[in-house]
Amino acid sequence: METTLVSQSLDRVEADAVVVLLFEDDAAPAELKGSSAWPSAWIDELRASGEFTGKTGEIAVQHLPQGLKAKRLVVAGGGKRDKFDAPALRRAVGTAVRALKQKGVKTLAFLLAGADPEAAVEGAILGNFEPDRHKTSSDAKSLDTFVLIAPDSARAAFERGKILGDAQNFTRELVNEPANLMTPSLLAERARAMSAEVGLECEILDEPRMRQLGMGSLLGVAQGSAEPPALIIVRYKPATPAKTSDHLGLVGKGVTFDTGGVSIKPADGMEKMKYDMAGGAAMLGAMRAIAQLKPAIPVTALVPAVENMVGSKAQRPGDIVTSLSGKTIEVLNTDAEGRLILIDALTYAQRLGCTHLVDAATLTGAIVVALGNVNIGVFTNNDALLARVLAAAKAEGEKSWPMPLDDEYKDLLKSAFADLANIGGRWGGAISAAYFLKEFAGDTPWVHLDIAGTAWLDDAKPFLAKGPSGVAVRTFTRLALDW
Ligand code: BES
Ligand code: ZN
Ligand code: ZN
């Protein structure tokens, strides 16, 4: 989809549809009140009939509007004006895009009317995404062009929105690919291609190299698959050296398919486990945006990519592995594999000089029990870094909720035969998983995002298709930009 900004008046814009937001408690956008292009009789009638009240998600379409060049004038509900913020705008634009593209609209113009250009463009780009690449014929239609009607002063924010929306859809494409088309090697190839495209450094550690380094925890997970593992490393360096020695490390879980291994998962719903690399894909999406938006600090992304399979070479419950850190782990459940690959990447990130670590992972079903599909669960060993991450998430409208990590939880991970067990029993499963990671973050400030409940939409929303959400891409990009 093309995205452009025009600074014309509404009546001069050529499009299949121009969309104007109307609120529950407002008659017309300020700049249109009294304008001859504004069909107040139609609007009054819509309101009087109760057909349109201004609630979020509502839409009314007038064809061949008088005095406008556009083929349709669309009013879309913005909800209550005093509750209207960037997330509400993102949703409203996404909803209009999804409703109108299905009606055959190819060029959609949106009157910004003083709202946030960044969120508006993001809403359009995200709403236009369909997870239908592999359908030879699809009912889902798409916009060709989104036109933002806004003053020229909105251009910088508009460009940022474009970069962030595209980065998030890049992540969604990766996550949506089935596991036969998104093996660790193929994910590494995508990372390489993306890096070349936007000017990032990309290095892939292969199995022999990881063995040489001593990444026994990661390799234990990988050994059950015929697909070789890869540790994807993508580096961004600011053109002018940063004033601080801070170096942000972004570590993302890249399990391209999670059968559970020998501790196998139930068949029902297992197909969804192609999204178990959503954390890694979010980091690659964030790096893509970071390369274009150029924050002042160096950022290194590490994506340990493996396939968790069953087979004669797969690791067994009870196996003991030695991690890169030297700590030994008793693998009591092969389905708790995310933490096993992440810890070797976390240790390696510290060796690469990262001073602050943030990881994202579809780590536990337990976080879905705790927070549902609404909030990301956030864990930390450092309140200052936590505050930064939560501020970035809030600014980007990605709901996140801090979870506890008291020392008492450590007891859950006791093993009779190794330094640590890889599972912590029935209760507080998202916390024991996070605690396991914490043991390997050491003194380095670290924040962990469990995105198991938020990285995939089981049902479409009016503003987003079913499937991968691309959550956390915007948060991580903002975190780096605001450092
Ligand atoms: N990838 C799963 C977590 C998951 C579950 C993500 C549901 C998305 C939806 C992870 O590897 C896993 O299987 N975790 C286990 C841990 C358990 C064995 C301690 C879980 O959550 O059941
Ligand atoms: Zn698992
Ligand atoms: Zn998993």
Side-chain angles (χ1 to χ4, degrees), residues 30-109:
E31 60 257 78
L32 292 176
K33 268 180 196 152
S35 141
S36 61
W38 187 244
S40 37
W42 177 57
I43 304 285
D44 290 348
E45 186 54 29
L46 277 177
R47 295 251 196 210
S49 65
E51 214 170 285
F52 184 91
T53 64
K55 284 204 176 69
T56 320
E58 282 179 350
I59 235 172
V61 182
Q62 189 187 50
H63 284 257
L64 305 176
Q66 276 202 351
L68 297 191
K69 281 198 178 154
K71 291 196 191 125
R72 299 173 186 81
L73 173 64
V74 179
V75 289
K80 292 211 161 52
R81 193 182 267 284
D82 58 356
K83 294 236 169 79
F84 189 68
D85 53 9
L89 172 63
R90 211 178 273 114
R91 289 193 295 268
V93 176
T95 302
V97 164
R98 293 190 67 71
L100 292 166
K101 73 192 179 96
Q102 278 319 101
K103 291 184 194 286
V105 168
K106 290 290 173 194
T107 300
L108 185 149

Side-chain angles (χ1 to χ4, degrees), residues 193-419:
M194 180 276 290
S195 300
E197 201 184 306
V198 297
L200 293 166
E201 251 176 57
C202 180
E203 183 190 2
I204 313 290
L205 306 192
D206 61 6
E207 199 259 357
R209 177 72 185 130
M210 289 190 270
R211 190 162 301 287
Q212 190 181 39
L213 286 164
M215 297 184 171
S217 185
L218 187 161
L219 292 173
V221 177
Q223 76 188 31
S225 173
E227 292 294 337
L231 178 57
I232 303 164
I233 303 172
V234 179
R235 292 183 175 86
Y236 163 79
K237 292 187 185 114
T240 44
K243 285 191 200 84
T244 74
S245 56
D246 292 355
H247 179 170
L248 181 59
L250 301 175
V251 179
K253 173 175 174 182
V255 175
T256 58
F257 196 77
D258 184 9
T259 65
V262 170
S263 316
I264 197 165
K265 287 183 181 297
D268 196 25
M270 200 201 275
E271 71 282 354
K272 230 178 99 174
M273 280 300 126
K274 67 176 186 178
Y275 94 107
D276 214 16
M277 35 61 81
M283 295 318 188
L284 295 176
M287 291 306 285
R288 188 177 187 269
I290 283 169
Q292 294 168 286
L293 294 170
K294 307 191 191 309
I297 52 152
V299 185
T300 301
L302 296 95
V303 180
V306 304
E307 189 181 51
N308 190 25
M309 294 294 276
V310 269
S312 63
K313 291 189 176 162
Q315 81 180 337
R316 297 134 290 241
D319 281 7
I320 293 176
V321 294
T322 303
S323 64
L324 178 62
S325 74
K327 285 198 174 99
T328 58
I329 299 152
E330 186 184 11
V331 181
L332 290 176
N333 189 315
T334 62
D335 196 11
E337 84 297 341
R339 60 198 80 178
L340 293 173
I341 65 168
L342 286 167
I343 56 157
D344 278 347
L346 286 168
T347 303
Y348 197 61
Q350 291 166 65
R351 297 209 183 154
L352 293 181
C354 295
T355 59
H356 296 74
L357 293 171
V358 181
D359 80 73
T362 47
L363 201 63
T364 66
I367 200 66
V368 195
V369 176
L371 298 176
N373 303 114
V374 178
N375 273 284
I376 299 171
V378 188
F379 303 80
T380 192
N381 63 1
N382 183 289
D383 286 340
L385 184 58
L386 174 71
R388 282 181 140 156
V389 173
L390 291 179
K394 187 155 179 57
E396 289 299 336
E398 299 193 306
K399 288 181 187 282
S400 301
W401 199 256
M403 299 283 290
L405 263 192
D406 308 69
D407 285 336
E408 285 89 331
Y409 292 107
K410 186 172 174 158
D411 292 345
L412 295 171
L413 296 171
K414 276 197 179 133
S415 161
F417 311 111
D419 298 337

